[in-house]
Amino acid sequence: MADDTETRELKDASTNPWYVLMTIAGEQNGWLVDPDLHDRNRRYWNGWAGAALSEARKAELIDKHGFTAEDFAPLTEKETNEIRRQLRERAGTEEILDPSDPVDCRKTRFLTTHCCAGFAFPRYASFEGAAFSWYADFEGAAFDGYADFEGAAFSKHTNFWRATFLDRIFFSGATLSGPTRFSGARFEHSPLLLYNAELHEDTDLNVAAWPRVPERHDAARVHLRAYERLKLLMANQKKHADEHMFLRKELACREVVEENRAIRLGYTLFRLSCDSGWDPVRPISWLGIAWLLGWLLIGGSEYYDATHLAWPEGCDAAGTCPEKAPLGFFQSGALSFSNIFGFLGLRTTFMREELASLNSLSEVVSGAQMFAGPILLFLMGLALRNRFRLS
């Protein structure tokens, strides 16, 4: 939290023209948000902000992000006059702010619940060094420019559920003393920047979308550093699922940053193995595919033609074999299974005759199964351990 010197430097939100514009219909009173009051404030704000948004952007916000056409309808003369009156009485100016200008709430103290849920911020919005004494609600807000909360102090609950960030969002040095919710948020351009930030243990980062890995090295480095920090924060809070997710994203960024092709390939393979080492469904699925594929390639049936790999050498095109009959359907499945679990000794104990009937190419398939089986079983065990570990 800010020290006494910093606190004295904070400006009261009630006289900030940007805050006045956010609360034309009135300020929230107490812990709970008055939904009717908020809807009226939202209408004033979005009607004003819509002038700085393109028609395509407004259509996107309406179609995908919970805004309505009424939100962006042009302000009426009555609404415009009310904005001027409020600005004159509370901020000492009648000049309506330009929605294309940056929102300036730096070093501002918000003494009541601050609700910007469903607000559209067309340009850069700065709450740098601000202090939120009560509930800070930005649910469903859309930030089209930088969203700067660097050094901000949140004393109570903070809500960014379903918020959308088209550009960077800075929370470096911020103090989040209460439960914080980013679930459902969308980060289109940059990850959440949380350097030197203090998070409440009840911080939800189950977001709807993280940005794609940039193709440029310099941009990928920025993402890499952000994910390293996020991974460390989640490790400190023992949130293993989030920690592992940020590790995978970090590795994806390293693939772009690394210039050595051999090392880059190593990062790719490690990232893919990390994916399998977290989701047990993936290695289990690959085990099933390896078993079925080996069954088809190795197995012999009277219904297969001469191109089948498992016909013993010497068989003619009609499938007539001079010495040994081809493997049966269920025999081939059992052999494929024993190859994958070869370390159990099933092949040599129960499948000796079947092994003797294989040709050289089928033996290669069996060898590949024996090699892949332990690796996939290891990844399956690792994924189960990662999912259910307690510390």
Side-chain angles (χ1 to χ4, degrees), residues 11-17 19-20 27 90 108-111:
K11 298 168 287 187
D12 192 344
S14 62
T15 60
N16 185 315
Y19 177 75
V20 172
E27 298 178 90
R90 296 165 60 186
T108 300
R109 184 192 297 110
F110 299 91
L111 295 176

Side-chain angles (χ1 to χ4, degrees), residues 134-350:
W134 289 92
Y135 181 35
D137 187 4
F138 291 87
E139 176 182 327
F143 295 87
D144 283 16
Y146 281 15
D148 189 358
F149 292 87
E150 185 172 1
F154 297 84
S155 299
K156 306 293 183 182
H157 286 67
T158 306
N159 184 18
F160 283 91
W161 180 57
R162 293 194 306 107
T164 303
F165 303 93
L166 288 190
D167 216 311
R168 292 186 184 178
I169 174 169
F170 295 90
F171 267 83
S172 298
T175 302
L176 298 156
S177 300
T180 305
R181 190 179 186 188
F182 283 100
S183 52
R186 304 187 68 87
F187 298 91
E188 304 289 346
H189 176 76
S190 171
L192 187 62
L193 302 178
L194 283 170
Y195 304 112
N196 200 34
E198 298 180 19
L199 297 186
H200 190 271
E201 62 180 13
D202 185 9
T203 299
D204 187 351
L205 290 176
N206 185 28
V207 307
W210 292 101
R212 293 182 179 180
V213 178
E215 297 181 358
R216 290 171 36 216
H217 286 202
D218 54 346
R221 288 183 187 278
V222 174
H223 286 217
L224 170 62
R225 292 171 50 234
Y227 289 131
E228 286 177 334
R229 176 58 181 168
L230 287 165
K231 182 186 68 175
L232 178 61
L233 288 170
M234 296 301 100
N236 292 338
Q237 294 191 357
K238 303 296 183 182
K239 294 185 176 180
H240 304 302
D242 291 334
E243 177 191 358
H244 202 278
M245 175 189 66
F246 291 126
L247 169 62
R248 300 195 301 271
K249 293 188 176 298
E250 174 193 334
L251 292 172
C253 293
R254 290 190 183 278
E255 291 176 43
V256 177
V257 171
E258 181 56 55
E259 297 182 358
N260 186 294
R261 292 184 178 181
I263 299 177
R264 188 188 310 157
L265 177 61
Y267 279 130
T268 302
L269 295 175
F270 186 50
R271 177 177 58 82
L272 293 175
S273 68
C274 282
D275 288 342
S276 298
W278 176 254
D279 181 7
V281 174
R282 183 173 297 190
I284 291 174
S285 299
W286 279 110
L287 277 171
I289 291 172
W291 175 45
L292 292 174
L293 188 61
W295 191 340
L296 294 174
L297 293 176
I298 296 174
S301 169
E302 63 270 20
Y303 302 106
Y304 289 171
D305 60 25
T307 61
H308 194 277
L309 295 179
W311 291 120
E313 295 180 1
C315 292
D316 58 22
T320 302
C321 302
E323 298 179 356
K324 297 180 181 180
L327 294 179
F329 184 73
F330 293 105
Q331 285 177 307
S332 60
L335 179 59
S336 180
F337 181 87
S338 68
N339 288 336
I340 294 175
F341 295 89
F343 59 92
L344 298 177
L346 298 177
R347 283 163 44 95
T348 55
T349 303
F350 301 104

